[in-house]
Amino acid sequence: MSYHDAHILDQYAYQESIIHRLDPRAKIIAILFFVITVVSFPKYALIPLLPFVFYPLVLAILSGLSLRILFRQVLIASPFFILVGLFNPILDRALIEFPALGIHIRAGVVSFLSIVMRGALCVSGAVILVSSSSFPRLVEALQALGLPKAFTVQLSFLYRYLFLLIEEAKRMNQARLLRAGTSKNSFRTAVSMLSALLMRTLDRAQAIWLAMRARGFQDEIKTARKMKWRVNDFIFLGVSIFFC
């Protein structure tokens, strides 16, 4: 995912819709149940997976997320799950009959398409989750669901300073372009830039840690807004589980 895409999804997370107003815990449990259900089908299941396409599409429409952005994120992640089943058509040469279509298809092709569909559905669910709830709220929800505090604090810091690190890398690259006058980057230059970025990251991390300790940080991120289950959250979670 590029910096531009991450920034767009972050902006969507702070919009207002019926999905945005749901408790993040309900959305996490619903998406998790959706993903577990999708991956639990047999390896040759293809047609039974088709109804699950409607779930992320409906959530995207209700949350106001552009379907173009949703499809773009799926396409970006597609090489990973395509690579998983790339050799299935070659290794599995058995034939599977589809009575409804009146044709026979090689089992390897069916399993490959099934893997691709599962991957696309799982990525769609994850994109819907992060685009309908801000990342800090998701981290709070994970901690409320029992995830260890040390892990949630690390996630929170990773999100807060990832954009800062990307901006620092962009400034370094811009400075290199102004000095070199060319967009070509040699291996030696790339190694030098990465080393400089690592040292700047360590210095920035130390300064941030000292500033937080000076302000009384006690290994816990406290928020003023409390989470509370509502009727809409139970309805959404119940409908999602029933659909799956």
Side-chain angles (χ1 to χ4, degrees):
M1 183 185 297
S2 65
Y3 172 78
H4 179 69
D5 292 336
H7 185 65
I8 290 178
L9 291 179
D10 188 64
Q11 289 181 329
Y12 270 107
Y14 290 94
Q15 292 185 356
E16 186 69 18
S17 72
I18 186 174
I19 303 299
H20 285 76
R21 289 191 292 269
L22 294 172
D23 192 298
R25 292 172 294 181
K27 286 182 279 189
I28 290 175
I29 296 174
I31 296 299
L32 181 62
F33 197 89
F34 171 76
V35 170
I36 292 175
T37 306
V38 167
V39 301
S40 66
F41 276 83
K43 65 177 181 178
Y44 296 127
L46 185 60
I47 296 179
L49 288 172
L50 292 179
F52 287 89
V53 176
F54 291 101
Y55 186 75
L57 290 180
V58 170
L59 291 185
I61 294 173
L62 292 178
S63 64
L65 177 65
S66 171
L67 295 181
R68 179 181 179 182
I69 294 178
L70 179 61
F71 293 148
R72 174 180 170 82
Q73 301 309 315
V74 173
L75 288 177
I76 292 175
S78 60
F80 296 98
F81 45 79
I82 287 177
L83 186 62
V84 172
L86 185 62
F87 296 101
N88 284 29
I90 302 175
L91 300 177
D92 193 350
R93 297 177 176 272
L95 294 178
I96 296 180
E97 181 181 3
F98 287 83
L101 303 177
I103 58 176
H104 291 77
I105 302 179
R106 184 174 296 179
V109 175
V110 176
S111 62
F112 170 73
L113 295 177
S114 179
I115 291 174
V116 172
M117 182 172 292
R118 295 164 201 263
L121 290 173
C122 293
V123 171
S124 299
V127 172
I128 294 295
L129 182 61
V130 299
S131 64
S132 62
S133 297
S134 63
F135 197 84
R137 291 290 287 172
L138 289 176
V139 172
E140 294 174 30
L142 290 173
Q143 185 169 340
L145 290 173
L147 207 64
K149 183 176 62 176
F151 185 71
T152 56
V153 171
Q154 292 293 328
L155 280 178
S156 181
F157 284 140
L158 176 64
Y159 167 79
R160 289 172 183 267
Y161 300 107
L162 180 61
F163 294 99
L164 187 66
L165 178 63
I166 295 176
E167 288 291 344
E168 185 72 23
K170 289 173 63 177
R171 285 193 293 268
M172 291 178 58
N173 188 56
Q174 184 66 28
R176 183 192 65 82
L177 291 175
L178 292 175
R179 290 181 174 88
T182 176
S183 59
K184 294 183 178 180
N185 199 0
S186 64
F187 178 76
R188 179 179 297 179
T189 303
V191 172
S192 177
M193 290 179 62
L194 287 176
S195 301
L197 182 60
L198 176 61
M199 297 305 299
R200 292 188 184 186
T201 301
L202 294 175
D203 291 339
R204 181 67 63 87
Q206 183 68 18
I208 291 172
W209 171 249
L210 293 176
M212 292 178 61
R213 297 297 293 181
R215 289 169 173 80
F217 178 68
Q218 298 294 333
D219 301 332
E220 182 179 1
I221 299 177
K222 299 180 180 180
T223 57
R225 184 180 177 184
K226 300 300 181 181
M227 294 186 178
K228 184 178 180 181
W229 287 91
R230 296 176 299 177
V231 176
N232 292 342
D233 303 321
F234 287 107
I235 293 176
F236 168 76
L237 185 57
V239 170
S240 300
I241 294 177
F242 177 78
F243 171 80
C244 292

